[in-house]
Amino acid sequence: MPASPSTARAINDRLALRLLQQEGALTAGQLKQLTGLSRPTVADLVERLAAAGLIEVVGESGEQRRGPNARLYGIVADRAHLAALDVRTEGVSVVVSDLLGRELARASVPIADDTGTGPAVEQAVTLVERAAKEAGADRLHTVGVGAPGLIDPATGELRDSSGLPEWHRRLVAALQERLPARVIVENETNLAALAEQRDGVARDRDTFVLLWLGHGTGAAVVLDGRLRRGASGGTGEIGFLPVPGTTTLPSATDCEGGFHSLAGSAAIAELAAGHGLVATAVSPGEPEAATLVRQAVATLPSPSPASSPSPASSSSGADRFLSALADRLAIGAASVVAVLDPGCVVLGGEVGQAGGEVLATRVGERLARMSPLPVEVRASTLGGGAVLRGALLTSRESAQDDLFAPRSR
């Protein structure tokens, strides 16, 4: 059945807004060309969107052109302000942006282990309020929160998780009480995968697995372009995966003895120490493991196509450490590959980014020997910043879905 006039207008409006979001400012003529709509239809939708305060004239196309056809239209960026939070056990980071995703303010605050629940929540909420004020936002439309732990797929709430501070759960409720904004919570690793798919190394992949390597471990699964969360929101809790090489087995309340015991930051630091490596100049908030991996990669000799590495260089402590780490990562990755056949594994988080192509290549070589399934291993380009980026993308999409929705007339 043909669409009704009101439905057709809504479809055309959303199409035009999405094009302006993706392409930037466009003239009416360019909108006509990209949408395939008639000139009168484009003129009507431009007038309608401008009257609704969603688009505005932002310039002209060409110095010599004048008149309506030369006007460049763009989305009104300050129609809504958004915030993204990366909630870690050791602190919180926040970014505030406009509706186009342009960053307006960024801040972070460390939260010590011995900080009480109430003070910790207050520090985090105050951080968001200050960042919004710095960005010139009178109010926030949507706040995207990335946090470790399980997100209940039925309610969208952060579930109780052993080992995580109580203030994590309290923070979401406090944000909803203090801010006149929509608050969306998502697992941090899932947000990192979203960011890698949109802006990172997985832009060309509809199916892949992101292996999160930071202070802790995790995984995110994207199949056929969709993020998969599982029946209870626990898809990707790879830290609990029983693996060889540990002295015990994980339990329902403790991932000690699982893959986390091989690939968590503390385990990697211990592995590095066993090869005589010590971290220097660890950046605040960065896992010690990331510093160790970055230092190890930096000390390796540059590969030469004309000659093989010398025995001395190939047997260095840094080289042996990276090889041992690749062995560990391949154990967890092989289990995921055997079950899901994703074709691509992204080594994410701060450690994955620090290892770069050197570590990704070594893990890929081991997977090729362990599994008959073809899989490409890629190093994250976003690292730990992928969580904030994913949270911002999520809040932006939610806000646009609300603001771009057709209004009753």
Side-chain angles (χ1 to χ4, degrees), residues 6 148 170-171 201 267 327 403-404:
S6 60
R170 291 276 300 277
L171 174 59
V201 297
D327 289 339
L403 295 172
F404 295 176

Side-chain angles (χ1 to χ4, degrees), residues 58-73:
V58 296
E60 290 189 348
S61 176
E63 295 181 358
Q64 305 303 320
R65 299 186 63 187
R66 294 292 184 271
N69 291 334
R71 293 173 184 163
L72 281 168
Y73 297 93

Side-chain angles (χ1 to χ4, degrees), residues 5-24 26 31 34-35 37 41-42 44-46 48-50 52 54-55 75 99 141 182 396-407:
S6 60
T7 300
R9 285 195 296 269
I11 293 173
N12 293 340
D13 288 355
R14 289 181 71 88
L15 174 59
L17 288 166
R18 290 298 180 190
L19 285 170
L20 290 169
Q21 171 194 333
Q22 296 166 6
E23 305 293 333
L26 297 169
L31 280 171
L34 291 170
T35 61
L37 299 172
T41 299
V42 170
D44 287 343
L45 75 82
V46 166
R48 191 163 54 246
L49 294 176
L54 292 173
I55 68 172
I75 292 176
L99 188 57
H141 183 283
R182 175 185 303 168
R396 178 183 171 191
E397 285 192 356
S398 176
Q400 289 180 343
D401 283 344
D402 176 54
L403 295 172
F404 295 176
R407 298 290 188 257

Side-chain angles (χ1 to χ4, degrees), residues 244-282:
T246 64
T247 58
T248 184
L249 289 173
S251 70
T253 59
D254 190 355
C255 60
E256 188 65 30
F259 182 63
H260 175 82
S261 295
L262 295 183
S265 182
I268 294 175
E270 184 178 354
L271 178 67
H275 289 86
L277 305 182
V278 179
T280 59
V282 177

